Amino acid sequence: MNFALIAAICAAVGLVVAFCLASWIKKNDVGTDRMKEISGYIAEGAMAFLKREYIAMVVVIAVLFVAIGFGINWTTAVLYICGALLSVLAGFFGMKVATSGNVRTAAAARESGMNKALKIAFRSGAVMGLCVSGLGLFGLGVILYAFDLATVTECITGFGFGASSMALFGRVGGGIYTKAADVGADLVGKVEAGIPEDDPRNPAVIADNVGDNVGDVAGMGSDLFESYVGSIISAVTLASVAVANSPVGSSNSIIEYAFFPLLISAVGIIASIIGIMCVRGKEGKNPANALNMGTYIPGILVIVATVVLSKSILGDLSFAWAIISGLVVGIAIGKITEVYTSADYGSVKKIAKQSETGAATTIISGLGVGMMSTMWPILLISVAVFIAYHFAGVYGIALAAVGMLSTAGMTVAVDAYGPVSDNAGGIAEMSELPHEVREITDQLDAVGNTTAAIGKGFAIGSAALTALALFVSYASVTELNAIDLLNPIVIIGLFIGAMLPFLFSAMTMNSVGKAANQMIEEVRRQFRENKGIMEGTAKPDYAKCVDISTKAAINEMVMPGVMAIVAPVVVGILLGPAALGGLLAGALAAGVLMAIMMSNAGGAWDNAKKYIESTGGKGSATHAAAVIGDTVGDPFKDTSGPSINILIKLMTIVSLVFAPLFVAIGGLL
């Protein structure tokens, strides 16, 4: 049986399980009429944003389709459309279920307690996880089954380009939306008005809850969808290099090398399904224990299967070591991220302590934690690269990325669980449910904050390995044997590449600032002009705040996205393939470090604020300082930091797609 067909069948199984989980979630009770009303606002706002975002993306898709068709070939252009469409579908299906599961999580917390609430929230996230891995592998499996390998190797990069371009717009747009609402809600509601988080009197509260879905569910899903397919694509394109330079002297054909990563990913989907079904909460126990167990089980299953498949298909265990190195490092990066961002460890408590002397020391200590947190992930990624290359050459680097992302179904499930539980807490607060319900949702949300931070760490690590693997593919296609740092043209590319993550982050941070300013002014206006809002006798205009976030996100996401696509094309055409290689190297090194620093600093600030609240400090000067830190950290961890992952991958895949054009031109300057 064709290996590509096996992969497509396993992917289809994952999608069927996702459908069954979604059906089970919908059968659960939605609670009171007020809960239905609030969840309806959130679902309506989320879908309205996605509709407008996708309409804006149609223009980009059409332009790139024509450019690829005329500049490269039409098969690549068609696969570009396929990659973009499946990326959009993954985000849409995941968010549809997340906005359905949030109210049911709150209702379960009200009626049945912790266990049922955890089950619904997690399974809502699991639908997103299985859609990401299922749609990604199904698309690639069908492509490898339908086309001959020569056509696949030449054109499959178009599929990755489609996924990458949609992921960047989705992540940037969603990140701007959610943080504009979050910053506005926090600064005016909690700091100025002194009302609790998710208080229904806050006009920005619905937009804030909508933002959790469009940024941390749909945007995050598109991010890891891109990494998932990118890692497999890089391994497929490097299959010929693996045959020519196999360090173990294997006599396998290029087909076996090309199909091997698909089988590993297929095993990963089945292992993720098993892990999802193993997540069971216990009353009185920390929900994190159940989620950790669900994470480790798929990893162990993939390791065992990798050893068997590596020996039986490729005839050597060297390739298994490459995959295992990526998988183990991915899990380790997640745990290290937890150390720097969880209140169970010293870094967060240190920030909370520093908040006693004001917001300035909160910011300083948070930045310090973020910078310090870059060391271990970088060292671990370096170890994975060394082991993978030692055992399986450049092909092994791609396999390490495949290994790290093989259990993406489970990893995304754990990550997407966080926004669902966060929304459940907001619905409980706005529906004025008993305090015990909010305690349950807060406990789920606290774990969700940590899992979200772990997910961001995992996304960064996988982005680094995926971008590096795609970079190796680019070097192979352009016959670039080395990056000559004594060549001034290469140095120019290196400097430009290192600058781009800073420019990109500045653009996205400024976008959040501009959008948040509009949100703040609107919330202040409503409080000022409608005194009944604070008295609880009048209803805020939630729709106006939702509209502000939506318009700002759509308008502001365009320039960062266009820059990421245009920059490598301009450098490749003007300065040639070698200079573009320098650009990719500079962007990779600077981008990974910035992404880790920003994501972890933001996560640490957030949990420092929550730690102060959990120890009775809510409403104090210390808490006010921590809220400022959390507000600064919001665009760090949910807009700019995660978007850099996609920036470095998108620029690399763009370079790979247009590599034949750059080689033909050779650099106009």
Side-chain angles (χ1 to χ4, degrees):
M1 190 182 220
N2 190 293
F3 288 154
L5 184 58
I6 294 174
I9 291 172
C10 289
V13 170
L15 294 174
V16 169
V17 172
F19 176 79
C20 293
L21 291 176
S23 300
W24 176 84
I25 290 165
K26 287 186 177 180
K27 292 178 182 178
N28 286 275
D29 183 39
V30 294
T32 65
D33 289 340
R34 176 61 174 166
M35 294 169 69
K36 294 178 190 176
E37 179 186 6
I38 296 297
S39 66
Y41 290 148
I42 296 171
E44 182 181 340
M47 290 305 158
F49 170 76
L50 273 196
K51 181 180 178 180
R52 291 172 66 171
E53 183 181 50
Y54 292 158
I55 289 174
M57 288 179 178
V58 167
V59 178
V60 178
I61 292 174
V63 170
L64 290 174
F65 172 74
V66 173
I68 296 170
F70 283 107
I72 307 300
N73 59 66
W74 289 105
T75 302
T76 303
V78 171
L79 293 185
Y80 166 79
I81 295 290
C82 293
L85 178 62
L86 290 180
S87 177
V88 165
L89 288 176
F92 176 81
F93 290 143
M95 199 177 75
K96 189 77 172 175
V97 175
T99 54
S100 172
N102 52 17
V103 67
R104 290 167 171 81
T105 300
R110 173 174 171 260
E111 297 166 3
S112 306
M114 172 72 73
N115 289 352
K116 187 68 176 291
L118 170 64
K119 190 174 183 179
I120 293 175
F122 174 71
R123 290 192 172 185
S124 299
V127 173
M128 177 82 253
L130 292 175
C131 284
V132 165
S133 54
L135 288 171
L137 186 60
F138 184 80
L140 291 171
V142 170
I143 290 170
L144 267 74
Y145 182 75
F147 295 98
D148 63 89
L149 194 56
T151 303
V152 167
T153 303
E154 180 183 1
C155 302
I156 198 173
T157 52
F159 186 86
F161 185 20
S164 295
S165 55
M166 293 307 99
L168 184 67
F169 287 107
R171 195 50 136 155
V172 172
I176 293 170
Y177 184 111
T178 183
K179 291 305 109 179
D182 199 357
V183 170
D186 281 356
L187 287 183
V188 183
K190 287 197 289 188
V191 176
E192 294 183 9
I195 59 179
E197 187 170 4
D198 294 319
D199 192 299
R201 292 173 293 177
N202 193 330
V205 71
I206 295 295
D208 187 9
N209 280 274
V210 170
D212 290 336
N213 292 285
V214 300
D216 292 338
V217 178
M220 178 273 303
S222 296
D223 182 356
L224 283 173
F225 179 90
E226 175 210 19
S227 285
Y228 186 80
V229 301
S231 65
I232 299 173
I233 287 171
S234 63
V236 170
T237 57
L238 288 170
S240 59
V241 179
V243 171
N245 303 308
S246 176
V248 296
S250 173
S251 59
N252 292 292
S253 70
I254 186 174
I255 294 177
E256 290 169 313
Y257 281 102
F259 283 76
F260 181 63
L262 268 73
L263 284 180
I264 298 299
S265 300
V267 170
I269 287 181
I270 302 303
S272 294
I273 293 172
I274 295 171
I276 288 167
M277 297 306 170
C278 288
V279 173
R280 293 285 188 275
K282 294 182 180 179
E283 291 295 341
K285 299 292 185 181
N286 189 342
N289 296 333
L291 297 177
N292 287 336
M293 182 60 66
T295 301
Y296 296 142
I297 289 174
I300 294 170
L301 292 175
V302 169
I303 288 173
V304 173
T306 294
V307 171
V308 174
L309 292 174
S310 180
K311 184 67 175 177
S312 60
I313 295 176
L314 299 182
D316 196 279
L317 292 179
S318 299
F319 306 98
W321 286 115
I323 292 172
I324 292 170
S325 69
L327 179 59
V328 172
V329 165
I331 294 173
I333 289 175
K335 295 305 294 183
I336 288 170
T337 303
E338 182 180 356
V339 169
Y340 284 104
T341 59
S342 172
D344 294 332
Y345 299 93
S347 294
V348 168
K349 293 178 180 177
K350 177 183 176 183
I351 296 173
K353 180 68 175 176
Q354 292 288 331
S355 298
E356 294 176 1
T357 52
T361 47
T362 304
I363 303 299
I364 291 169
S365 58
L367 287 172
V369 167
M371 292 176 184
M372 184 65 70
S373 71
T374 62
M375 181 181 72
W376 287 110
I378 291 297
L379 291 177
L380 284 171
I381 292 170
S382 301
V383 168
V385 170
F386 177 83
I387 292 173
Y389 185 80
H390 175 75
F391 282 103
V394 293
Y395 177 67
I397 297 174
L399 289 183
V402 171
M404 185 177 285
L405 288 154
S406 59
T407 59
M410 184 66 198
T411 304
V412 175
V414 173
D415 195 343
Y417 144 87
V420 176
S421 56
D422 190 6
N423 265 201
I427 291 171
E429 183 77 27
M430 287 181 275
S431 303
E432 299 179 343
L433 297 183
H435 181 66
E436 294 76 16
V437 176
R438 187 62 201 248
E439 286 182 351
I440 292 174
T441 59
D442 280 351
Q443 188 175 354
L444 293 174
D445 184 28
V447 175
N449 284 327
T450 300
T451 60
I454 291 172
K456 289 182 177 69
F458 178 86
I460 294 166
S462 63
L465 280 180
T466 301
L468 181 58
L470 291 169
F471 181 37
V472 172
S473 299
Y474 167 79
S476 175
V477 170
T478 57
E479 298 182 356
L480 189 65
N481 296 319
I483 300 291
D484 185 3
L485 294 180
L486 297 179
N487 183 340
I489 298 297
V490 173
I491 291 295
I492 291 171
L494 189 74
F495 281 144
I496 294 173
M499 171 272 294
L500 287 175
F502 289 88
L503 177 61
F504 180 84
S505 297
M507 295 170 73
T508 52
M509 292 283 286
N510 287 335
S511 295
V512 170
K514 287 160 58 178
N517 186 63
Q518 296 178 48
M519 186 68 69
I520 289 169
E521 291 302 320
E522 172 60 22
V523 175
R524 285 173 175 167
R525 182 194 67 79
Q526 291 196 34
F527 282 156
R528 183 176 61 251
E529 297 179 3
N530 190 344
K531 302 298 183 183
I533 292 176
M534 288 299 292
E535 296 169 0
T537 59
K539 183 179 176 182
D541 185 356
Y542 299 126
K544 180 64 176 176
C545 292
V546 170
D547 188 58
I548 287 173
S549 269
T550 301
K551 287 181 178 177
I554 300 300
N555 293 336
E556 297 291 337
M557 74 178 186
V558 175
M559 282 306 298
V562 170
M563 183 202 76
I565 296 171
V566 170
V569 174
V570 170
V571 170
I573 291 175
L574 294 181
L575 301 180
L580 181 54
L583 180 145
L584 298 178
L588 176 60
V592 170
L593 286 165
M594 277 201 72
I596 295 172
M597 186 278 290
M598 297 181 84
S599 294
N600 288 348
W605 274 319
D606 187 0
N607 279 330
K609 177 203 68 176
K610 287 183 167 59
Y611 175 74
I612 292 170
E613 292 172 347
S614 68
T615 54
K618 185 178 289 188
S620 64
T622 300
H623 181 243
V627 169
I628 298 298
D630 177 36
T631 305
V632 173
D634 276 337
F636 265 50
K637 67 182 174 65
D638 291 326
T639 307
S640 299
S643 298
I644 293 174
N645 303 338
I646 309 172
L647 173 72
I648 59 178
K649 290 178 291 184
L650 177 57
M651 290 197 298
T652 312
I653 198 77
V654 167
S655 303
L656 186 55
V657 168
F658 290 98
L661 178 64
F662 303 148
V663 171
I665 295 175
L668 297 179
L669 301 180

